[in-house]
Amino acid sequence: MSNGKGPSYNGKTGPCQAQVDPLAAVRTPDDPPWDVYLTGTVFLDIIFTGLDSAPVRGTESWARGMGSSPGGVANMATALARLGLRTSLAAAFGDDHYGEYCWDALEQGEGIDLSPSRSVPGWHSPVTVSMAYEGERTMVSHGHEPPPEDALVREGAPNLAPRARAAVASLEPGRRDPWIAEAASHGTRVFADVGWDETGVWDLAGLPDLAHCEAFLPNAQEAMRYTGATCPREAAHALTEHVPLAVVTLGAEGAYAVDRRTGETAEVPAIEVEALDPTGAGDVFVAGFVTGTLAGWPLADRLAFAGLTAALSVQEFGGSLSAPGWSEIGAWWRKVQSVDSQDPTALHRYAFLSDLVPEEEAPAWPLRRAVPTIGFGRSA
């Protein structure tokens, strides 16, 4: 497998430069300009860490750590970009300091293309405050109604997705997003996840855009409710009547996938880790699976890689703050190989990483990505 080093985005180098191009072996001069396109709402996430317990009403709690980062759809965009995929994001940004910070962090810090995005005058950026403790998190969010799509079009944002190898869509019951069908009609491979159905209907017919998707990645409870199956694996097979590739995440048990086109199935157990904060882990899993799929890896390798990236992310705090890059992946791979008591069978499951990870030594793993909060100014 080819090991491409250091692609640059928009001609830039620096913090947004990936160490590995996982698609180096499949790239051609006729490729679309972007590997992945996605759209959604960007939040400013403010994460408090180092809390010994949940906040108690009527008291003041002090956190030992704090970080800020773009959240919402930015979690997925950042995870994709750090894995070396050329990522394009369409989103509305407020013209306040929070929106400016999120824009700069994504464009300059992560190398994400924001040409389909727009800064909307007078719109306040949505904000989420997350408190992480005991391996869980509590979140409080605030935001105003997002600007209507026609307002973005009037501001000059394109109403069609740019050419890309793939797109990631979040399906909502009863809603149709025209860009999904349009992208699929031009050859873009659409990967979809879904949130909890607050209506309680759980009808796949209520997800009309699923017909345009190549892959569907619900969790076990979502998959069973949508299909009426009694176990997640049965649900995965039932979902392939509606979408070619079904991937069902099983929490601590790992993930199970079925590809209707090839008849292939795969199941990979989860990596046991000490979870500090699960925020964004689902987004990182999808990003890892999309990366392996576009690279043409076997189904089991894709599941293993997705699970690994998610496992690395939950050992850090925050959403986009925790998304791993190739330095973390490489450091993990070198570390687990150095453990004498390591199960050879488990190691073999991840042997495909040997042809991918950077050859140079990375800083000690796990790494801390938290950054200072907003307020240190910017260069003129």
Side-chain angles (χ1 to χ4, degrees):
M1 189 175 294
S2 175
N3 184 17
K5 301 283 184 176
S8 62
Y9 299 83
N10 303 325
K12 300 173 183 149
T13 58
C16 63
Q17 189 174 34
Q19 294 176 291
V20 173
D21 180 2
L23 307 190
V26 298
R27 294 198 186 279
T28 72
D30 298 326
D31 285 342
W34 305 110
D35 295 326
V36 187
Y37 166 81
L38 64 166
T39 184
T41 302
V42 173
F43 287 73
L44 170 69
D45 282 356
I46 300 174
I47 305 100
F48 290 100
T49 66
L51 290 165
D52 295 322
S53 61
V56 178
R57 186 175 64 178
T59 67
E60 181 180 14
S61 299
W62 279 82
R64 291 188 291 273
M66 176 180 173
S68 302
S69 65
V73 72
N75 292 338
M76 179 78 73
T78 299
L80 291 162
R82 287 185 181 172
L83 292 178
L85 299 188
R86 299 166 185 172
T87 303
S88 182
L89 170 65
F93 290 78
D95 64 346
D96 50 13
H97 289 308
Y98 291 169
E100 184 180 71
Y101 166 81
C102 289
W103 186 292
D104 287 349
L106 294 172
E107 184 178 58
Q108 304 298 326
E110 305 294 345
I112 295 168
D113 168 57
L114 297 181
S115 59
S117 297
R118 286 296 178 270
S119 178
V120 181
W123 186 54
H124 297 177
S125 298
V127 176
T128 292
V129 174
S130 176
M131 292 161 281
Y133 52 88
E134 299 175 354
E136 286 294 339
R137 85 282 198 197
T138 297
M139 296 184 290
V140 178
S141 297
H142 170 74
H144 299 274
E145 283 295 319
E149 293 182 9
D150 60 345
L152 290 181
V153 172
R154 286 197 301 272
E155 289 290 327
N159 54 7
L160 297 178
R163 290 181 59 241
R165 294 173 184 267
V168 178
S170 185
L171 305 184
E172 294 183 23
R175 175 178 172 178
R176 185 185 296 274
D177 285 315
W179 73 265
I180 296 176
E182 183 71 21
S185 70
H186 292 136
T188 297
R189 305 165 70 178
V190 182
F191 296 75
D193 61 13
V194 68
W196 192 257
D197 186 354
E198 299 292 346
T199 69
V201 176
W202 297 102
D203 182 7
L204 286 171
L207 302 176
D209 288 325
L210 188 61
H212 307 294
C213 298
E214 172 172 331
F216 187 42
L217 298 94
N219 64 34
Q221 287 299 317
E222 293 160 350
M224 288 189 292
R225 286 178 179 267
Y226 270 118
T227 61
T230 57
C231 79
R233 293 159 187 82
E234 177 188 346
H237 286 272
L239 286 172
T240 59
E241 297 178 10
H242 305 271
V243 66
L245 177 58
V247 181
V248 177
T249 54
L250 309 174
E253 294 183 37
Y256 182 81
V258 183
D259 190 329
R260 182 186 69 204
R261 296 162 300 189
T262 64
E264 186 180 10
T265 64
E267 182 168 1
V268 175
I271 297 173
E272 293 185 11
V273 295
E274 180 182 355
L276 296 180
D277 183 3
T279 305
D283 294 325
V284 174
F285 181 94
V286 173
F289 189 81
V290 170
T291 299
T293 301
L294 295 184
W297 301 349
L299 186 57
D301 288 356
R302 288 181 262 165
L303 282 187
F305 185 71
L308 168 61
T309 54
L312 294 179
S313 77
V314 301
Q315 295 176 88
E316 308 290 339
F317 289 107
S320 62
L321 286 177
S322 68
W326 286 101
S327 289
E328 289 92 336
I329 296 167
W332 175 86
W333 178 233
R334 281 186 289 271
K335 181 173 181 177
V336 296
Q337 291 181 92
S338 69
V339 177
D340 293 336
S341 59
Q342 192 65 256
D343 179 3
T345 302
L347 276 181
H348 181 70
R349 173 61 273 156
Y350 297 90
F352 65 93
L353 291 173
S354 295
D355 294 327
L356 286 165
V357 297
E359 296 177 1
E360 67 272 13
E361 287 290 331
W365 175 85
L367 305 178
R368 298 296 173 208
R369 285 190 177 274
V371 297
T373 56
I374 300 168
F376 284 90
R378 52 187 295 188
S379 57

